Amino acid sequence: MELSPLNALSPLDGRYKSKLDNLRPYFSEYALIKHRAMVEVEWLKALAGEAALKEIAPFSATSSRVMSASTIFVTARLQARTGCGTR
């Protein structure tokens, strides 16, 4: 595995890199993100199969407008800073 800030364990990765290689898939930031996502997907699957849970009510018109405005604002800021997402 190529070393990057996402899969680094700690500053020990420099001197002790060869000794830590086997731990990186389990204890790095990448591993945390990967396993957290796996747990969340399994949790959602379990919730989806639960008959006792009812459908969540849709957002009100006010909350939908606030969410829409927030999305537009955040998207515009990200595009201004990074240039990503512009067509």
Side-chain angles (χ1 to χ4, degrees):
M1 182 181 285
E2 185 177 325
L3 186 62
S4 75
L6 191 59
N7 64 18
L9 295 177
S10 72
L12 295 173
D13 281 322
R15 183 181 298 178
Y16 301 106
K17 182 180 181 301
S18 64
K19 292 178 175 62
L20 296 174
D21 274 340
N22 293 335
L23 297 176
R24 197 166 286 111
Y26 305 103
F27 295 107
S28 64
E29 186 71 17
Y30 172 78
L32 173 67
I33 294 167
K34 175 184 171 185
H35 288 94
R36 183 179 286 162
M38 290 170 49
V39 168
E40 289 179 10
V41 167
E42 291 302 318
W43 175 250
L44 287 173
K45 286 167 50 177
L47 287 176
E50 187 63 42
L53 294 177
K54 297 179 181 176
E55 186 174 326
I56 298 172
F59 288 117
S60 68
T62 302
S63 61
S64 292
R65 285 194 300 273
V66 169
M67 288 179 58
S68 181
S70 300
T71 303
I72 291 168
F73 173 77
V74 170
T75 302
R77 292 293 287 239
L78 286 173
Q79 287 175 347
R81 287 182 179 210
T82 63
C84 292
T86 55
R87 294 181 183 177

Short mmCIF file of all heavy atoms in Angstrom, two decimals, residues 25-82:
data_model
loop_
_atom_site.label_atom_id
_atom_site.label_comp_id
_atom_site.label_asym_id
_atom_site.label_seq_id
_atom_site.Cartn_x
_atom_site.Cartn_y
_atom_site.Cartn_z
N PRO A 25 -3.89 -1.52 7.01
CA PRO A 25 -5.25 -1.79 6.54
C PRO A 25 -6.30 -1.81 7.66
O PRO A 25 -7.48 -1.77 7.39
CB PRO A 25 -5.15 -3.16 5.88
CG PRO A 25 -3.71 -3.34 5.57
CD PRO A 25 -2.96 -2.59 6.62
N TYR A 26 -5.87 -1.86 8.91
CA TYR A 26 -6.81 -1.96 10.03
C TYR A 26 -6.88 -0.71 10.89
O TYR A 26 -7.92 -0.43 11.50
CB TYR A 26 -6.43 -3.15 10.93
CG TYR A 26 -6.35 -4.43 10.16
CD1 TYR A 26 -5.12 -4.97 9.81
CD2 TYR A 26 -7.50 -5.09 9.74
CE1 TYR A 26 -5.03 -6.14 9.09
CE2 TYR A 26 -7.42 -6.26 9.02
CZ TYR A 26 -6.19 -6.78 8.69
OH TYR A 26 -6.11 -7.94 7.96
N PHE A 27 -5.80 0.07 10.97
CA PHE A 27 -5.75 1.18 11.92
C PHE A 27 -5.53 2.55 11.29
O PHE A 27 -5.41 3.54 12.00
CB PHE A 27 -4.66 0.92 12.97
CG PHE A 27 -4.95 -0.27 13.82
CD1 PHE A 27 -4.24 -1.44 13.66
CD2 PHE A 27 -5.96 -0.23 14.77
CE1 PHE A 27 -4.51 -2.55 14.43
CE2 PHE A 27 -6.24 -1.34 15.55
CZ PHE A 27 -5.52 -2.50 15.38
N SER A 28 -5.48 2.65 9.99
CA SER A 28 -5.26 3.94 9.33
C SER A 28 -6.57 4.72 9.24
O SER A 28 -7.66 4.20 9.52
CB SER A 28 -4.69 3.73 7.93
OG SER A 28 -5.64 3.06 7.13
N GLU A 29 -6.49 5.97 8.84
CA GLU A 29 -7.67 6.80 8.63
C GLU A 29 -8.55 6.20 7.53
O GLU A 29 -9.77 6.16 7.63
CB GLU A 29 -7.25 8.22 8.25
CG GLU A 29 -8.39 9.21 8.15
CD GLU A 29 -8.98 9.57 9.50
OE1 GLU A 29 -8.33 9.33 10.53
OE2 GLU A 29 -10.10 10.08 9.51
N TYR A 30 -7.92 5.68 6.49
CA TYR A 30 -8.65 5.03 5.40
C TYR A 30 -9.45 3.84 5.95
O TYR A 30 -10.63 3.66 5.62
CB TYR A 30 -7.68 4.56 4.32
CG TYR A 30 -8.33 3.70 3.27
CD1 TYR A 30 -9.09 4.27 2.26
CD2 TYR A 30 -8.22 2.32 3.30
CE1 TYR A 30 -9.71 3.49 1.30
CE2 TYR A 30 -8.83 1.52 2.35
CZ TYR A 30 -9.58 2.12 1.35
OH TYR A 30 -10.20 1.34 0.42
N ALA A 31 -8.83 3.03 6.79
CA ALA A 31 -9.51 1.86 7.36
C ALA A 31 -10.70 2.29 8.22
O ALA A 31 -11.76 1.67 8.18
CB ALA A 31 -8.54 1.02 8.17
N LEU A 32 -10.52 3.36 8.99
CA LEU A 32 -11.62 3.87 9.81
C LEU A 32 -12.80 4.28 8.94
O LEU A 32 -13.94 3.90 9.19
CB LEU A 32 -11.14 5.06 10.65
CG LEU A 32 -12.23 5.80 11.42
CD1 LEU A 32 -12.79 4.91 12.51
CD2 LEU A 32 -11.68 7.08 12.00
N ILE A 33 -12.52 5.04 7.89
CA ILE A 33 -13.58 5.50 6.98
C ILE A 33 -14.26 4.30 6.31
O ILE A 33 -15.49 4.22 6.24
CB ILE A 33 -13.00 6.47 5.93
CG1 ILE A 33 -12.53 7.75 6.60
CG2 ILE A 33 -14.03 6.78 4.85
CD1 ILE A 33 -11.66 8.63 5.71
N LYS A 34 -13.47 3.37 5.83
CA LYS A 34 -13.99 2.20 5.13
C LYS A 34 -14.90 1.37 6.04
O LYS A 34 -16.03 1.04 5.68
CB LYS A 34 -12.83 1.34 4.63
CG LYS A 34 -13.25 0.04 4.00
CD LYS A 34 -12.04 -0.78 3.62
CE LYS A 34 -12.45 -2.17 3.19
NZ LYS A 34 -11.29 -3.02 2.93
N HIS A 35 -14.43 1.07 7.24
CA HIS A 35 -15.22 0.23 8.14
C HIS A 35 -16.42 0.97 8.71
O HIS A 35 -17.46 0.37 8.94
CB HIS A 35 -14.32 -0.35 9.24
CG HIS A 35 -13.40 -1.39 8.71
ND1 HIS A 35 -12.11 -1.10 8.30
CD2 HIS A 35 -13.58 -2.71 8.48
CE1 HIS A 35 -11.56 -2.21 7.85
NE2 HIS A 35 -12.42 -3.20 7.94
N ARG A 36 -16.29 2.27 8.91
CA ARG A 36 -17.44 3.05 9.37
C ARG A 36 -18.54 3.03 8.31
O ARG A 36 -19.72 2.86 8.63
CB ARG A 36 -17.01 4.49 9.66
CG ARG A 36 -18.15 5.34 10.20
CD ARG A 36 -17.68 6.73 10.50
NE ARG A 36 -16.88 6.70 11.71
CZ ARG A 36 -16.05 7.67 12.07
NH1 ARG A 36 -15.89 8.72 11.30
NH2 ARG A 36 -15.38 7.58 13.19
N ALA A 37 -18.16 3.18 7.05
CA ALA A 37 -19.15 3.13 5.97
C ALA A 37 -19.80 1.76 5.89
O ALA A 37 -21.02 1.66 5.70
CB ALA A 37 -18.49 3.49 4.63
N MET A 38 -19.02 0.71 6.06
CA MET A 38 -19.57 -0.65 6.03
C MET A 38 -20.59 -0.85 7.16
O MET A 38 -21.66 -1.43 6.94
CB MET A 38 -18.45 -1.69 6.12
CG MET A 38 -17.60 -1.76 4.87
SD MET A 38 -16.10 -2.76 5.02
CE MET A 38 -16.67 -4.26 5.72
N VAL A 39 -20.28 -0.37 8.35
CA VAL A 39 -21.20 -0.50 9.48
C VAL A 39 -22.47 0.30 9.22
O VAL A 39 -23.58 -0.19 9.49
CB VAL A 39 -20.51 -0.04 10.79
CG1 VAL A 39 -21.51 0.12 11.92
CG2 VAL A 39 -19.41 -1.02 11.18
N GLU A 40 -22.34 1.50 8.69
CA GLU A 40 -23.51 2.33 8.42
C GLU A 40 -24.42 1.70 7.37
O GLU A 40 -25.64 1.74 7.48
CB GLU A 40 -23.09 3.73 8.02
CG GLU A 40 -22.53 4.51 9.18
CD GLU A 40 -22.09 5.92 8.82
OE1 GLU A 40 -22.38 6.37 7.69
OE2 GLU A 40 -21.45 6.55 9.66
N VAL A 41 -23.83 1.09 6.34
CA VAL A 41 -24.63 0.42 5.32
C VAL A 41 -25.39 -0.76 5.93
O VAL A 41 -26.59 -0.94 5.69
CB VAL A 41 -23.74 -0.05 4.14
CG1 VAL A 41 -24.49 -1.02 3.24
CG2 VAL A 41 -23.26 1.15 3.34
N GLU A 42 -24.71 -1.55 6.75
CA GLU A 42 -25.38 -2.68 7.40
C GLU A 42 -26.48 -2.20 8.34
O GLU A 42 -27.54 -2.82 8.43
CB GLU A 42 -24.36 -3.55 8.16
CG GLU A 42 -23.41 -4.29 7.24
CD GLU A 42 -24.12 -5.21 6.26
OE1 GLU A 42 -25.09 -5.91 6.65
OE2 GLU A 42 -23.71 -5.24 5.09
N TRP A 43 -26.24 -1.09 9.02
CA TRP A 43 -27.25 -0.52 9.92
C TRP A 43 -28.48 -0.08 9.12
O TRP A 43 -29.61 -0.36 9.50
CB TRP A 43 -26.65 0.65 10.69
CG TRP A 43 -27.62 1.39 11.55
CD1 TRP A 43 -28.09 2.65 11.35
CD2 TRP A 43 -28.24 0.92 12.75
NE1 TRP A 43 -28.96 3.00 12.34
CE2 TRP A 43 -29.08 1.95 13.22
CE3 TRP A 43 -28.18 -0.26 13.47
CZ2 TRP A 43 -29.85 1.83 14.37
CZ3 TRP A 43 -28.95 -0.38 14.63
CH2 TRP A 43 -29.76 0.66 15.06
N LEU A 44 -28.26 0.59 7.99
CA LEU A 44 -29.39 1.02 7.16
C LEU A 44 -30.15 -0.18 6.60
O LEU A 44 -31.38 -0.16 6.52
CB LEU A 44 -28.89 1.91 6.02
CG LEU A 44 -28.48 3.31 6.44
CD1 LEU A 44 -27.85 4.06 5.28
CD2 LEU A 44 -29.66 4.09 6.99
N LYS A 45 -29.43 -1.24 6.23
CA LYS A 45 -30.10 -2.45 5.74
C LYS A 45 -30.96 -3.07 6.84
O LYS A 45 -32.08 -3.53 6.59
CB LYS A 45 -29.07 -3.45 5.22
CG LYS A 45 -28.48 -3.03 3.88
CD LYS A 45 -27.26 -3.78 3.45
CE LYS A 45 -27.27 -5.25 3.48
NZ LYS A 45 -26.02 -5.86 2.96
N ALA A 46 -30.44 -3.08 8.06
CA ALA A 46 -31.21 -3.62 9.18
C ALA A 46 -32.44 -2.77 9.45
O ALA A 46 -33.53 -3.30 9.70
CB ALA A 46 -30.33 -3.71 10.42
N LEU A 47 -32.29 -1.45 9.40
CA LEU A 47 -33.44 -0.57 9.61
C LEU A 47 -34.47 -0.73 8.51
O LEU A 47 -35.68 -0.70 8.77
CB LEU A 47 -32.98 0.88 9.68
CG LEU A 47 -32.25 1.32 10.95
CD1 LEU A 47 -31.79 2.76 10.81
CD2 LEU A 47 -33.12 1.15 12.17
N ALA A 48 -34.01 -0.90 7.28
CA ALA A 48 -34.93 -1.06 6.15
C ALA A 48 -35.76 -2.33 6.28
O ALA A 48 -36.91 -2.38 5.84
CB ALA A 48 -34.16 -1.07 4.84
N GLY A 49 -35.21 -3.34 6.92
CA GLY A 49 -35.93 -4.60 7.09
C GLY A 49 -36.81 -4.64 8.32
O GLY A 49 -37.51 -5.63 8.56
N GLU A 50 -36.82 -3.59 9.11
CA GLU A 50 -37.60 -3.55 10.35
C GLU A 50 -39.03 -3.11 10.05
O GLU A 50 -39.27 -1.97 9.66
CB GLU A 50 -36.93 -2.59 11.34
CG GLU A 50 -37.52 -2.58 12.70
CD GLU A 50 -37.40 -3.90 13.42
OE1 GLU A 50 -36.33 -4.54 13.34
OE2 GLU A 50 -38.37 -4.31 14.07
N ALA A 51 -39.98 -4.01 10.24
CA ALA A 51 -41.38 -3.72 9.92
C ALA A 51 -41.99 -2.69 10.86
O ALA A 51 -42.93 -1.98 10.50
CB ALA A 51 -42.19 -5.00 9.96
N ALA A 52 -41.49 -2.59 12.08
CA ALA A 52 -42.07 -1.68 13.07
C ALA A 52 -41.79 -0.21 12.75
O ALA A 52 -42.48 0.67 13.27
CB ALA A 52 -41.54 -2.01 14.46
N LEU A 53 -40.80 0.07 11.93
CA LEU A 53 -40.47 1.46 11.59
C LEU A 53 -41.38 1.96 10.49
O LEU A 53 -41.62 1.29 9.50
CB LEU A 53 -39.01 1.58 11.16
CG LEU A 53 -37.99 1.29 12.23
CD1 LEU A 53 -36.58 1.37 11.65
CD2 LEU A 53 -38.13 2.27 13.38
N LYS A 54 -41.87 3.17 10.68
CA LYS A 54 -42.74 3.78 9.68
C LYS A 54 -41.93 4.72 8.81
O LYS A 54 -40.83 5.13 9.16
CB LYS A 54 -43.87 4.54 10.36
CG LYS A 54 -44.78 3.64 11.16
CD LYS A 54 -45.85 4.44 11.82
CE LYS A 54 -46.73 3.51 12.63
NZ LYS A 54 -47.74 4.22 13.38
N GLU A 55 -42.51 5.11 7.70
CA GLU A 55 -41.84 6.04 6.80
C GLU A 55 -41.71 7.40 7.47
O GLU A 55 -42.61 7.85 8.18
CB GLU A 55 -42.65 6.18 5.51
CG GLU A 55 -41.96 7.01 4.46
CD GLU A 55 -42.73 7.01 3.15
OE1 GLU A 55 -43.33 6.00 2.82
OE2 GLU A 55 -42.71 8.05 2.49
N ILE A 56 -40.60 8.07 7.25
CA ILE A 56 -40.37 9.39 7.81
C ILE A 56 -41.18 10.41 7.02
O ILE A 56 -41.24 10.36 5.79
CB ILE A 56 -38.87 9.75 7.76
CG1 ILE A 56 -38.08 8.75 8.60
CG2 ILE A 56 -38.62 11.17 8.22
CD1 ILE A 56 -36.59 8.88 8.46
N ALA A 57 -41.77 11.35 7.74
CA ALA A 57 -42.57 12.38 7.08
C ALA A 57 -41.67 13.26 6.21
O ALA A 57 -40.51 13.49 6.55
CB ALA A 57 -43.26 13.24 8.13
N PRO A 58 -42.19 13.73 5.09
CA PRO A 58 -41.38 14.60 4.22
C PRO A 58 -41.07 15.92 4.91
O PRO A 58 -41.77 16.33 5.84
CB PRO A 58 -42.26 14.80 2.99
CG PRO A 58 -43.63 14.45 3.42
CD PRO A 58 -43.52 13.50 4.55
N PHE A 59 -40.04 16.60 4.42
CA PHE A 59 -39.68 17.91 4.96
C PHE A 59 -40.80 18.90 4.68
O PHE A 59 -41.50 18.80 3.67
CB PHE A 59 -38.40 18.44 4.30
CG PHE A 59 -37.17 17.71 4.73
CD1 PHE A 59 -36.42 17.00 3.81
CD2 PHE A 59 -36.74 17.75 6.05
CE1 PHE A 59 -35.28 16.34 4.19
CE2 PHE A 59 -35.60 17.09 6.44
CZ PHE A 59 -34.87 16.38 5.52
N SER A 60 -40.95 19.86 5.55
CA SER A 60 -41.93 20.92 5.32
C SER A 60 -41.40 21.83 4.21
O SER A 60 -40.22 21.79 3.86
CB SER A 60 -42.14 21.73 6.60
OG SER A 60 -40.96 22.45 6.91
N ALA A 61 -42.25 22.68 3.70
CA ALA A 61 -41.85 23.59 2.63
C ALA A 61 -40.75 24.53 3.12
O ALA A 61 -39.80 24.83 2.39
CB ALA A 61 -43.05 24.39 2.14
N THR A 62 -40.85 24.97 4.37
CA THR A 62 -39.84 25.89 4.92
C THR A 62 -38.49 25.21 5.03
O THR A 62 -37.47 25.74 4.61
CB THR A 62 -40.27 26.40 6.30
OG1 THR A 62 -41.53 27.04 6.18
CG2 THR A 62 -39.26 27.37 6.87
N SER A 63 -38.47 24.01 5.60
CA SER A 63 -37.18 23.32 5.77
C SER A 63 -36.59 22.95 4.41
O SER A 63 -35.37 22.97 4.24
CB SER A 63 -37.32 22.10 6.67
OG SER A 63 -38.21 21.16 6.12
N SER A 64 -37.43 22.64 3.44
CA SER A 64 -36.92 22.33 2.10
C SER A 64 -36.25 23.55 1.48
O SER A 64 -35.21 23.42 0.83
CB SER A 64 -38.06 21.85 1.19
OG SER A 64 -38.53 20.60 1.62
N ARG A 65 -36.84 24.74 1.67
CA ARG A 65 -36.24 25.96 1.13
C ARG A 65 -34.91 26.27 1.81
O ARG A 65 -33.95 26.67 1.16
CB ARG A 65 -37.20 27.14 1.28
CG ARG A 65 -38.35 27.14 0.29
CD ARG A 65 -39.07 28.48 0.26
NE ARG A 65 -39.64 28.86 1.54
CZ ARG A 65 -40.86 28.51 1.97
NH1 ARG A 65 -41.63 27.77 1.20
NH2 ARG A 65 -41.31 28.90 3.14
N VAL A 66 -34.85 26.06 3.12
CA VAL A 66 -33.61 26.31 3.85
C VAL A 66 -32.52 25.35 3.38
O VAL A 66 -31.38 25.74 3.13
CB VAL A 66 -33.82 26.18 5.37
CG1 VAL A 66 -32.51 26.17 6.12
CG2 VAL A 66 -34.72 27.29 5.87
N MET A 67 -32.87 24.07 3.22
CA MET A 67 -31.89 23.09 2.75
C MET A 67 -31.44 23.41 1.33
O MET A 67 -30.26 23.29 1.02
CB MET A 67 -32.48 21.68 2.83
CG MET A 67 -32.61 21.19 4.25
SD MET A 67 -33.33 19.55 4.38
CE MET A 67 -32.22 18.59 3.41
N SER A 68 -32.35 23.81 0.50
CA SER A 68 -32.00 24.16 -0.88
C SER A 68 -31.07 25.36 -0.92
O SER A 68 -30.07 25.37 -1.63
CB SER A 68 -33.28 24.44 -1.67
OG SER A 68 -32.96 24.73 -3.00
N ALA A 69 -31.39 26.38 -0.14
CA ALA A 69 -30.54 27.58 -0.10
C ALA A 69 -29.16 27.24 0.45
O ALA A 69 -28.14 27.72 -0.05
CB ALA A 69 -31.20 28.65 0.75
N SER A 70 -29.12 26.38 1.47
CA SER A 70 -27.83 25.97 2.05
C SER A 70 -27.00 25.21 1.03
O SER A 70 -25.79 25.43 0.92
CB SER A 70 -28.05 25.10 3.28
OG SER A 70 -28.77 25.78 4.26
N THR A 71 -27.63 24.33 0.29
CA THR A 71 -26.93 23.55 -0.73
C THR A 71 -26.36 24.47 -1.80
O THR A 71 -25.21 24.32 -2.22
CB THR A 71 -27.88 22.52 -1.36
OG1 THR A 71 -28.41 21.70 -0.34
CG2 THR A 71 -27.18 21.68 -2.40
N ILE A 72 -27.15 25.43 -2.24
CA ILE A 72 -26.69 26.37 -3.27
C ILE A 72 -25.51 27.18 -2.75
O ILE A 72 -24.51 27.37 -3.44
CB ILE A 72 -27.85 27.30 -3.71
CG1 ILE A 72 -28.89 26.47 -4.48
CG2 ILE A 72 -27.35 28.47 -4.55
CD1 ILE A 72 -30.20 27.18 -4.72
N PHE A 73 -25.58 27.64 -1.49
CA PHE A 73 -24.51 28.44 -0.90
C PHE A 73 -23.22 27.63 -0.80
O PHE A 73 -22.16 28.08 -1.21
CB PHE A 73 -24.94 28.93 0.49
CG PHE A 73 -23.85 29.62 1.24
CD1 PHE A 73 -23.50 30.92 0.93
CD2 PHE A 73 -23.16 28.97 2.25
CE1 PHE A 73 -22.49 31.57 1.62
CE2 PHE A 73 -22.14 29.60 2.94
CZ PHE A 73 -21.81 30.90 2.63
N VAL A 74 -23.31 26.43 -0.25
CA VAL A 74 -22.12 25.59 -0.07
C VAL A 74 -21.51 25.23 -1.42
O VAL A 74 -20.29 25.30 -1.61
CB VAL A 74 -22.45 24.33 0.74
CG1 VAL A 74 -21.31 23.33 0.73
CG2 VAL A 74 -22.80 24.70 2.17
N THR A 75 -22.35 24.89 -2.39
CA THR A 75 -21.86 24.54 -3.73
C THR A 75 -21.14 25.73 -4.36
O THR A 75 -20.06 25.57 -4.93
CB THR A 75 -23.03 24.09 -4.62
OG1 THR A 75 -23.68 22.98 -4.01
CG2 THR A 75 -22.55 23.69 -6.00
N ALA A 76 -21.71 26.90 -4.23
CA ALA A 76 -21.09 28.10 -4.81
C ALA A 76 -19.74 28.39 -4.15
O ALA A 76 -18.77 28.72 -4.83
CB ALA A 76 -22.02 29.30 -4.67
N ARG A 77 -19.67 28.24 -2.83
CA ARG A 77 -18.40 28.48 -2.12
C ARG A 77 -17.33 27.48 -2.54
O ARG A 77 -16.17 27.83 -2.75
CB ARG A 77 -18.61 28.40 -0.61
CG ARG A 77 -19.45 29.52 -0.04
CD ARG A 77 -18.72 30.84 -0.14
NE ARG A 77 -17.65 30.92 0.80
CZ ARG A 77 -17.51 31.81 1.75
NH1 ARG A 77 -18.43 32.76 1.85
NH2 ARG A 77 -16.49 31.79 2.56
N LEU A 78 -17.72 26.21 -2.65
CA LEU A 78 -16.76 25.18 -3.07
C LEU A 78 -16.27 25.43 -4.50
O LEU A 78 -15.09 25.29 -4.79
CB LEU A 78 -17.38 23.79 -2.96
CG LEU A 78 -17.53 23.25 -1.55
CD1 LEU A 78 -18.31 21.94 -1.57
CD2 LEU A 78 -16.17 23.02 -0.90
N GLN A 79 -17.18 25.80 -5.38
CA GLN A 79 -16.79 26.07 -6.75
C GLN A 79 -15.88 27.28 -6.83
O GLN A 79 -14.91 27.28 -7.60
CB GLN A 79 -18.03 26.28 -7.62
CG GLN A 79 -18.79 25.02 -7.91
CD GLN A 79 -20.07 25.27 -8.67
OE1 GLN A 79 -20.53 26.40 -8.79
NE2 GLN A 79 -20.67 24.20 -9.15
N ALA A 80 -16.13 28.30 -6.03
CA ALA A 80 -15.30 29.50 -6.04
C ALA A 80 -13.89 29.18 -5.53
O ALA A 80 -12.90 29.69 -6.05
CB ALA A 80 -15.94 30.59 -5.18
N ARG A 81 -13.79 28.33 -4.52
CA ARG A 81 -12.48 28.02 -3.94
C ARG A 81 -11.69 27.01 -4.75
O ARG A 81 -10.48 27.08 -4.83
CB ARG A 81 -12.64 27.47 -2.52
CG ARG A 81 -13.03 28.53 -1.54
CD ARG A 81 -13.12 27.97 -0.18
NE ARG A 81 -13.47 29.01 0.76
CZ ARG A 81 -13.11 29.03 2.00
NH1 ARG A 81 -12.38 28.05 2.48
NH2 ARG A 81 -13.47 30.01 2.79
N THR A 82 -12.38 26.02 -5.32
CA THR A 82 -11.67 24.93 -5.98
C THR A 82 -11.80 24.93 -7.49
O THR A 82 -10.99 24.33 -8.18
CB THR A 82 -12.17 23.56 -5.47
OG1 THR A 82 -13.55 23.41 -5.82
CG2 THR A 82 -12.01 23.45 -3.97
#
